[in-house]
Every structure is written in structure tokens, then in C-alpha cells.
Amino acid sequence: MAAWTKKNLTDVKDVAAGAGFGEQGEARFVTKEIDADGTGLAYHVLRPGKRQGFGHRHDQAEEVHVVLSGSGRVKLDGEVIELQAMDALRVSPEVKRQFEAGPDGMAYLVFGPHHESDGELDKDFWTD
């Protein structure tokens, strides 16, 4: 393996469409694409007014979410907080989270340690 790897995030496959979530936005999981060993990296784009298709939590991985552009909200367990461009949000593994874009959409990066099969999904987490 090379000592470094460069990859444009938009060149990484968008898996949201193939998983039935293309209407909500894009999800590009970059970890393997850049040959990362222990660091997870994902690039997400939520379309205006759309919410992720599910909430999730982890068993081990603490995550840092960095909003690149746009704005929105995130539900963290039972609390909803506002997000705007350049906000950095650290989330402990056990906290269930789900993101929702504002009127201009929202693009954000997620960083954290990468652990296979680490966590659970909850399709009914954020109900109106």
C-alpha cells in the first residue's frame, strides 16, 4: 500500500440511490477508496428539506460531523439541534442520530474510527 492516497469525494460511488435513498440525497463512503486502515470517512449530501432514511448509533465509533455547506438539524437521542455551515459536531457512539437538511440542502463529512458492523439502524427513529 502506498504511503498516501488521494481521491476526489465526488468520484466515490454514491450508495444512497442503490439502497433506495436517492431521493433524500447522496452517501459516499470513502474509507476503502483511500485505503484507510482505521479511519472512517463518509461524505453525505441531503437534498433541501429531506431527512436521512434512518437513524443510527454505534457500538464503538465516536463520530465527528462537519457541515460543509447549507444548514439543517440533527436529532440526537431525544434532542433536536440546528446546524449550519462550518459547525463541527462530536457524537458519542451510543447516541442515536439522524440528519435533516434545511431549505438549501446540507453537505457534511463524517470522520471516526472504522469498525465493521459497528452499530444499528432505526428506520422509525425520527417520526413527526
Side-chain angles (χ1 to χ4, degrees):
M1 178 173 21
W4 59 271
T5 308
K6 177 187 174 208
K7 185 77 169 186
N8 188 290
L9 298 177
T10 59
D11 291 337
V12 175
K13 181 180 179 182
D14 172 18
V15 299
F21 299 110
E23 182 180 310
Q24 285 95 341
E26 303 172 19
R28 300 173 192 273
F29 296 95
V30 184
T31 301
K32 291 179 183 174
E33 296 281 339
I34 60 171
D35 303 318
D37 184 31
T39 303
L41 173 61
Y43 172 58
H44 293 277
V45 177
L46 286 172
R47 301 194 200 299
K50 297 293 183 179
R51 182 180 297 154
Q52 285 180 310
F54 52 85
H56 78 282
R57 58 167 295 287
H58 291 285
D59 296 323
Q60 302 175 56
E62 174 184 72
E63 292 179 333
V64 175
H65 303 257
V66 179
V67 179
L68 300 174
S69 63
S71 64
R73 306 183 309 163
V74 60
K75 182 175 181 183
L76 302 168
D77 285 336
E79 186 175 355
V80 177
I81 64 166
E82 299 289 326
L83 296 170
Q84 63 184 8
M86 301 311 295
D87 280 349
L89 171 70
R90 182 199 59 83
V91 182
S92 294
E94 69 280 358
V95 174
K96 202 172 285 185
R97 77 282 324 242
Q98 187 173 10
F99 290 79
E100 177 182 72
D104 296 323
M106 184 168 65
Y108 60 100
L109 292 175
V110 183
F111 301 88
H114 179 70
H115 305 284
E116 289 293 328
S117 303
D118 175 31
E120 66 182 46
L121 304 180
D122 183 348
K123 291 186 179 186
D124 299 317
F125 175 57
W126 194 335
T127 56
D128 293 322

